[in-house]
């Protein structure tokens, strides 16, 4: 049985997320050379993964770290059905 924390990790992004960016990726205005920041949270710990030049690179890093930190409960955009 999954705990509440595990269920939260497995949640889809909020419906009000209108940026169009993948889960765990935000636009970093303070770093114009690498404008996409990746931060992943699990079990009360937030890991700053880094800054990336492209959305694709940021998403790849986010998926990798979600899988490492959240294990089988990781939910990332590549799992979404269109």
């Amino acid at each position: 049985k999954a705990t509440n924390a595990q269920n939260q990790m497995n949640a889809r992004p909020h419906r009000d997320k209108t940026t169009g960016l993948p889960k765990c990726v935000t636009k970093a205005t303070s770093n114009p050379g690498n404008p996409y920041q990746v931060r992943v949270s699990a079990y009360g710990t937030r890991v700053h993964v880094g800054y990336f030049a492209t959305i694709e690179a940021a998403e790849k890093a986010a998926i990798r770290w979600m899988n490492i930190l959240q294990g089988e409960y990781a939910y990332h955009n590549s799992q979404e059905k269109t």
Side-chain angles (χ1 to χ4, degrees), residues 17-47:
K17 184 173 180 179
T18 59
T19 62
L21 295 173
K23 190 173 180 182
C24 298
V25 177
T26 58
K27 186 84 167 159
T29 57
S30 62
N31 194 342
N34 293 310
Y36 302 101
Q37 179 182 22
V38 175
R39 291 182 296 184
V40 179
S41 299
Y43 301 106
T45 301
R46 179 183 288 175
V47 174

Side-chain angles (χ1 to χ4, degrees), residues 34-75:
N34 293 310
Y36 302 101
Q37 179 182 22
V38 175
R39 291 182 296 184
V40 179
S41 299
Y43 301 106
T45 301
R46 179 183 288 175
V47 174
H48 171 75
V49 177
Y51 294 97
F52 299 87
T54 66
I55 293 173
E56 293 79 15
E59 182 176 28
K60 185 176 178 180
I63 290 170
R64 179 174 182 263
W65 279 94
M66 280 188 274
N67 288 335
I68 289 170
L69 295 175
Q70 301 170 353
E72 67 178 304
Y73 299 102
Y75 182 93

